[in-house]
Amino acid sequence: MRKTILLILAVLATITLSAQGQWKYRLGFGGELKDGNVNILTIRNDGAVVRNDSTLAFDAGYAIVYGEKAKEVYDKSLTAHMKFDLWQYDRWSPFVSATYLNNKFKGFDYRLSALFGVKYRLYANRRCDYSISGAYVQDYTEYGDPTVTLKAMVSRFSLRFKMRHRIADNVSIRHTTFWQPSLMSLWTSLADDYVVTSVTSLNTKITEHISFDINFNYEYHSRVPNGINKRDIITSASLRIDF
């Protein structure tokens, strides 16, 4: 399964590199205030490379979070993602994405998620874009702790709502919410295995290449190892450079 996912992503990356469009890059530096498995302020660095085309869009990036006090690390994570959208400006748009997360403070060594789905644009104009999507998700989690009895491989259904709205010439708001129950929960009477994530961002453009972002993230996992908080809330602020 993992080899198939990597092969598909490699083929799509090759197509993207040969597609018409303009590459854009961004770097962000800031901090996060957390409530959940970590309750403290941490520093954050993230970056991405984006290429938009009417046929195929590509987005790949990373985020590093680190916190240390008195030589003791209290938070450390690495997130990497890659996404492809086909015909992104049409009413219907298929997409594929993959996300890697390393964070032992959430009770696992790493988590790899692959997602295949289709987006439907509800409404779009020059100032806003509203859409919903449905997708199949394959999650693989390496817990490391042999006492954890949770399944490493879980198949999920993903329902997503996404919006972007420009509320002023230099200010825009974005929001994305995912509801991802396991397929086993949908097929049986069990309803205790699901994931909810929500991200709301306010972006203020200061200059042509510099922006200020404020983000509010909510994440809830209904099934986690013993001693791990099911809920994480993150409020972050960062200065972003686009070039």
Side-chain angles (χ1 to χ4, degrees):
M1 179 65 181
R2 280 178 284 178
K3 291 182 178 179
T4 302
I5 293 171
L6 291 174
L7 178 61
I8 293 172
L9 293 176
V11 171
L12 289 172
T14 302
I15 296 173
T16 302
L17 289 172
S18 61
Q20 294 181 354
Q22 182 179 1
W23 290 104
K24 295 183 179 180
Y25 309 89
R26 61 176 180 261
L27 283 174
F29 303 91
E32 295 184 344
L33 181 61
K34 299 187 174 183
D35 178 36
N37 288 294
V38 177
N39 300 283
I40 203 164
L41 180 67
T42 59
I43 60 174
R44 175 187 175 92
N45 164 242
D46 58 79
V49 54
V50 180
R51 184 165 186 167
N52 286 320
D53 187 90
S54 59
T55 302
L56 186 64
F58 171 77
D59 185 337
Y62 73 92
I64 299 173
V65 175
Y66 187 80
E68 179 181 323
K69 185 177 181 180
K71 297 184 179 181
E72 181 180 354
V73 177
Y74 56 77
D75 194 13
K76 183 180 180 181
S77 70
L78 168 65
T79 305
H81 74 271
M82 183 181 297
K83 184 182 179 184
F84 302 87
D85 283 273
L86 191 62
W87 309 310
Q88 63 169 330
Y89 301 118
D90 291 355
R91 179 70 70 178
W92 294 93
S93 173
F95 61 89
V96 56
S97 68
T99 304
Y100 170 87
L101 173 61
N102 172 274
N103 191 330
K104 69 176 183 179
F105 297 95
K106 290 191 175 184
F108 55 84
D109 289 340
Y110 70 88
R111 174 173 292 145
L112 178 63
S113 297
L115 190 149
F116 310 88
V118 62
K119 177 186 72 177
Y120 177 76
R121 299 182 86 185
L122 298 169
Y123 180 76
N125 59 29
R126 295 179 63 182
R127 297 187 66 89
C128 64
D129 192 342
Y130 293 81
S131 66
I132 58 173
S133 69
Y136 168 78
V137 184
Q138 187 71 63
D139 278 344
Y140 179 80
T141 305
E142 185 65 51
Y143 290 103
D145 185 352
T147 63
V148 175
T149 58
L150 299 177
K151 296 172 97 176
M153 188 82 74
V154 179
S155 298
R156 300 185 181 277
F157 168 74
S158 177
L159 181 64
R160 183 196 71 182
F161 170 75
K162 185 177 182 179
M163 63 85 71
R164 173 189 58 80
H165 198 105
R166 191 173 65 188
I167 56 180
D169 289 343
N170 296 321
V171 182
S172 61
I173 186 170
R174 299 171 185 265
H175 176 82
T176 305
T177 293
F178 286 92
W179 175 59
Q180 297 178 331
S182 72
L183 293 181
M184 186 62 68
S185 295
L186 294 177
W187 292 337
T188 67
S189 60
L190 297 175
D192 64 341
D193 188 358
Y194 63 92
V195 177
V196 174
T197 57
S198 177
V199 180
T200 302
S201 304
L202 182 67
N203 171 259
T204 302
K205 197 168 185 178
I206 301 173
T207 69
E208 182 181 356
H209 300 288
I210 300 177
S211 302
F212 181 69
D213 293 339
I214 298 177
N215 303 288
F216 179 80
N217 296 38
Y218 176 87
E219 183 175 331
Y220 183 88
H221 289 259
S222 66
R223 304 192 70 185
V224 296
N226 292 331
I228 299 299
N229 199 323
K230 295 182 178 181
R231 173 187 59 83
D232 282 294
I233 298 176
I234 303 172
T235 303
S236 63
S238 62
L239 198 65
R240 192 180 73 189
I241 304 172
D242 297 282
F243 54 95

